Amino acid sequence: MSLSVLVTNTKGGCGKTTIATTLATAFAAAGFKTALADVDRQKSSLGWLATRPDSAAPITGLDWRKAADPAPPGTQRLVIDVPAGLRLGHVQDLLKSADVVIVPVLASVFDERSTSRFLKKLDGVKPIAKGRKRVLVVANRLRSRQKSAQRLLDHLATAGFEPTAQVADRALYGELAMSGLGLFDIEQRRAAAGREEWLPLLAAIERAAAR
Ligand SMILES: Nc1ncnc2c1ncn2[C@@H]1O[C@H](COP(=O)(O)OP(=O)(O)O)[C@@H](O)[C@H]1O
Ligand SMILES: [Mg+2]
């Protein structure tokens, strides 16, 4: 069974590449034949892959900047990293290659507002409106002690976009990214706490795969 996940938001800097690369490491570590497609002209995901050590679980990179070329035969998990600011039409095109959509959002007023608008637009897109494809919201870079985190969660709940996962702000993401790694590649204890936060998202993705 194969499954494809589209990580998107019109807003930049909300963690799309971090989520795409981390999910790819989760799938690869679980033993799935995994590919990571990069739509971004800046090639953030492909740049990350280029620095990935041979000892880490393999992830195949796909350059989707010009065209959405098919993943290699036998691919079980495909993660698509979409850049900020794409037209909705382009996102809709990419949606054809995806089973699940993941939308990261940060705890900032500007991010909340623009992401709510984006989520409403996505809700109007046919396969999503008809319930064939699910949108999963990830509240990202949360600092639980800050008021902004609670405000974001309240805002999402009120707007009907309850997040599937809450990912904390951790310096570890940036540190691992520098060496082509993700949270699911390493044994360290400080990664274990972070990994817990991803379990509801991974479970929701697998449920979508099973449908
Ligand atoms: N949960 C997190 N904790 C700490 N830093 C994060 C987290 N998510 C993203 N970042 C950092 O935020 C910056 C933007 O993230 P990135 O994934 O590149 O966003 P996007 O792809 O949406 O532009 C990067 O420096 C990244 O390391
Ligand atoms: Mg990015």
Side-chain angles (χ1 to χ4, degrees):
M1 180 180 17
S2 76
L3 173 80
S4 161
V5 176
L6 187 77
V7 186
T8 183
N9 189 338
T10 40
K11 192 94 177 108
C14 58
K16 294 179 293 296
T17 300
T18 302
I19 287 173
T21 53
T22 304
L23 280 178
T25 68
F27 294 140
F32 291 115
K33 189 169 152 63
T34 302
L36 177 59
D38 198 347
V39 185
D40 197 341
R41 245 177 284 162
Q42 291 174 358
K43 293 211 286 183
S44 309
S45 278
L46 290 181
W48 172 81
L49 258 188
T51 59
R52 189 164 172 79
D54 290 337
S55 55
I59 297 168
T60 303
L62 303 173
D63 186 345
W64 275 23
R65 286 173 301 162
K66 293 213 174 83
D69 298 323
T75 300
Q76 292 168 298
R77 294 289 179 271
L78 170 66
V79 182
I80 308 163
D81 182 12
V82 181
L86 282 198
R87 286 175 298 105
L88 188 68
H90 194 170
V91 176
Q92 264 175 286
D93 274 349
L94 291 166
L95 190 62
K96 290 178 192 150
S97 312
D99 304 295
V100 186
V101 182
I102 294 178
V103 177
V105 55
L106 298 182
S108 99
V109 200
F110 304 125
D111 281 69
E112 279 167 31
R113 288 181 189 153
S114 69
T115 303
S116 291
R117 283 197 296 273
F118 180 62
L119 286 166
K120 281 187 192 128
K121 279 188 198 160
L122 274 185
D123 270 355
V125 170
K126 214 171 186 184
I128 294 170
K130 299 227 164 193
R132 289 199 298 271
K133 295 185 185 184
R134 277 202 68 189
V135 176
L136 306 174
V137 176
V138 175
N140 187 30
R141 292 196 85 163
L142 289 190
R143 296 191 194 163
S144 55
R145 267 166 299 194
Q146 282 189 349
K147 273 192 202 149
S148 59
Q150 195 51 53
R151 205 203 46 233
L152 171 69
L153 298 175
D154 291 345
H155 169 87
L156 290 172
T158 310
F161 298 121
E162 213 96 35
T164 301
Q166 299 179 25
V167 172
D169 185 84
R170 291 174 198 273
L172 187 57
Y173 288 105
E175 290 166 26
L176 289 169
M178 277 191 281
S179 39
L181 293 171
L183 212 55
F184 290 84
D185 287 312
I186 57 163
E187 294 293 332
Q188 293 162 24
R189 276 220 350 251
R190 69 182 180 136
R195 279 199 285 267
E196 296 249 315
E197 298 165 359
W198 290 76
L199 300 182
L201 180 65
L202 290 166
I205 292 171
E206 295 307 317
R207 273 199 301 277
R211 288 206 307 179

